[in-house]
Amino acid sequence: MATMTSTLTSSLSSKPKASFLDSSAHGTALPARSVLRPAKAGNQNFSVSMSASSPPPYDLRSFKFEPIKESIVSREMTRRYMTDMITYADTDVVVVGAGSAGLTCAYELSKNPSVQVAIIEQSVSPGGGAWLGGQLFSAMVVRKPAHLFLDELDIEYDEQDNYVVIKHAALFTSTIMSKLLARPNVKLFNAVAAEDLIVKEGRVGGVVTNWALVSMNHDTQSCMDPNVMEAKVVVSSCGHDGPFGATGVKRLKSIGMIDSVPGMKALDMNTAEDAIVRLTREIVPGMIVTGMEVAEIDGAPRMGPTFGAMMISGQKAAHLALQSLGLPNALDGTYDGSIHPELILASADGAETVDA
C-alpha cells in the first residue's frame, strides 16, 4: 500500500560528519551585545522565593499512596483512549503534525468550542523542532509583530527593536500545549502516523492512520492494515522534507492531485517568513498546507531559526479551516474573537510561487 510516511533509515545511526571548523576559532572578537529591554510590562518584578512558598500538603517523611488494582489502571487508559478514537473517527478538522505551526493552528481552531479538532503526531513527543532554537541552542527568536501572539499566550520574552527572544524555546511549546490540550474539543493522538489520505471525488476527506512504530516497520512484518479518521478539513503541517516530513504534499503529488514538490530553496529569513504566511492556503479541496511544508510545495526559501512565520501560518491555516467550515473567521471579516488583524499578512487567495 502506498503510504504518506517514510521508513526511518540507517542514517539515524550513521556517524556525524567532521566539521569544516575543527580547528580553534581565530579572528576578531564578537561585538558587545546590546542591552536587553525588560521582558514585558508588568513582569519586571517577577521573583520566586522558595522560603515563602507553602510546603507540600502531605508529609514527605511518611508518604503512602492509596491502593489500586493494576487492572483499573489498564481499563482507565484503554476506555478513555478508545472513547477518543470513536469520538474523533469523524471530526471537523484533523491537523497532521504537532510542530509549532500545527499546534498554533489547533490552538486557534479550538477557540471555537463547536469545532472538534484532532491532532495527529508521529512522534511520542509533540512540538517538532520548537523545543530548541537553531543549532540546538535554547533561545527562540520571533520577529515582530508575531510577538503579539506570545502576549496572548502570556509568554515572557526579551524585547529588541524588530524582534523578541524567548529565553528557551520550550517555554513556547510547553505553554501552548498546556493551554491547547486542556480544551475539551481537542485530542492529541501522538505516536500515530498519517499513512495516507482519504480522497473522494477529488476532495481530501480525512487521513489513514496507524501506530507510528507500525508505519516504520511495514517492510519487516506481514501486512498491518491501518485505521481511518474522516474530517471535513485536513490541515497538513508535516514540516520540511525528512523521514516524516512534507508527507502530505508528497502524497498529493504521487496520486496526481498536484504537479510537483520542488522543495524549499536556500535560506533567506526576510523573504521566507512573509512567503510562508502568504502562501499558506487550501492547496486542494479539503486540504490546507501550513508551516514549512508550504516551502516544500512552493519552492520558498527556508527561514532558519526564526519561528514567527510558523505561528502566524498556523493561525492563518486555522482561519482558512473555519472559512471552509462556514464559520466566522478573520479572513472574511466575520470573526469576532480576540485576534490581531495585523497578524493576517495575506489573503487566502495568494497562491503564487516564490521566486528567490
Side-chain angles (χ1 to χ4, degrees):
M1 176 179 108
T3 65
M4 286 175 65
T5 55
S6 303
T7 304
L8 293 173
T9 65
S10 60
S11 62
L12 292 178
S13 60
S14 60
K15 295 181 180 179
K17 296 180 180 178
S19 170
F20 66 90
L21 294 176
D22 287 333
S23 59
S24 300
H26 298 282
T28 58
L30 292 173
R33 189 182 179 202
S34 60
V35 177
L36 295 178
R37 296 180 180 180
K40 288 196 304 185
N43 291 328
Q44 292 170 275
N45 296 323
F46 175 79
S47 63
V48 175
S49 173
M50 293 302 293
S51 60
S53 62
S54 300
Y58 32 72
D59 189 349
L60 294 174
R61 295 165 297 183
S62 57
F63 187 90
K64 185 174 178 62
F65 287 101
E66 294 290 337
I68 194 170
K69 289 184 65 178
E70 284 80 358
S71 59
I72 291 176
V73 176
S74 177
R75 286 177 180 142
E76 286 292 346
M77 292 188 301
T78 304
R79 176 176 59 84
R80 293 168 189 269
Y81 197 90
M82 293 305 167
T83 299
D84 286 334
M85 291 184 71
I86 293 169
T87 301
Y88 289 91
D90 188 356
T91 192
D92 293 317
V93 182
V94 170
V95 178
V96 183
S100 48
L103 289 173
T104 302
C105 177
Y107 171 85
E108 193 73 16
L109 281 167
S110 67
K111 292 177 182 178
N112 187 328
S114 69
V115 177
Q116 202 173 48
V117 184
I119 310 166
I120 304 296
E121 168 56 47
Q122 63 86 18
S123 175
V124 171
S125 173
W131 289 109
L132 292 166
Q135 199 170 312
L136 306 183
F137 296 159
S138 301
M140 174 183 277
V141 177
V142 176
R143 293 166 60 201
K144 294 180 178 180
H147 71 297
L148 298 176
F149 182 58
L150 302 179
D151 291 345
E152 178 182 330
L153 296 173
D154 198 27
I155 296 174
E156 294 187 358
Y157 51 73
D158 291 322
E159 184 167 8
Q160 300 293 299
D161 289 341
N162 299 321
Y163 62 92
V164 301
V165 183
I166 305 170
K167 74 173 185 178
H168 202 298
L171 284 171
F172 166 78
T173 305
S174 59
T175 299
I176 194 170
M177 279 202 296
S178 67
K179 294 178 182 291
L180 168 65
L181 298 181
R183 291 176 172 167
N185 55 329
V186 176
K187 170 63 182 180
L188 168 66
F189 295 92
N190 46 330
V192 173
E195 289 194 328
D196 206 345
L197 299 170
I198 299 173
V199 180
K200 298 179 180 180
E201 299 179 352
R203 181 180 179 86
V204 174
V207 293
V208 178
T209 62
N210 216 327
W211 306 123
L213 290 174
V214 172
S215 293
M216 294 163 60
N217 285 280
H218 278 307
D219 294 337
T220 66
Q221 304 293 325
S222 61
C223 179
M224 296 177 284
D225 281 332
N227 208 335
V228 296
M229 189 176 290
E230 290 188 277
K232 299 179 180 70
V233 180
V234 173
V235 178
S236 190
S237 177
C238 298
H240 54 71
D241 197 13
F244 280 90
T247 50
V249 296
K250 288 190 290 189
R251 185 58 175 146
L252 290 178
K253 179 179 181 296
S254 70
I255 60 178
M257 293 187 73
I258 60 175
D259 294 330
S260 64
V261 180
M264 63 184 177
K265 293 186 178 179
L267 190 148
D268 179 350
M269 287 185 182
N270 290 288
T271 301
E273 290 210 280
D274 288 342
I276 294 299
V277 176
R278 184 176 69 253
L279 296 169
T280 297
R281 64 195 186 278
E282 187 177 37
I283 192 66
V284 298
M287 181 166 156
I288 296 163
V289 179
T290 185
M292 282 308 299
E293 196 167 8
V294 175
E296 293 290 334
I297 194 171
D298 285 311
R302 62 191 301 176
M303 79 278 301
T306 56
F307 288 82
M310 300 298 96
M311 302 171 192
I312 311 309
S313 174
Q315 276 194 316
K316 184 178 177 182
H319 286 271
L320 287 166
L322 291 171
Q323 188 178 55
S324 180
L325 293 170
L327 297 172
N329 63 89
L331 296 172
D332 60 18
T334 59
Y335 189 68
D336 58 2
S338 57
I339 189 169
H340 304 284
E342 60 268 39
L343 297 187
I344 303 299
L345 304 181
S347 72
D349 298 327
E352 68 272 26
T353 299
V354 174
D355 184 14

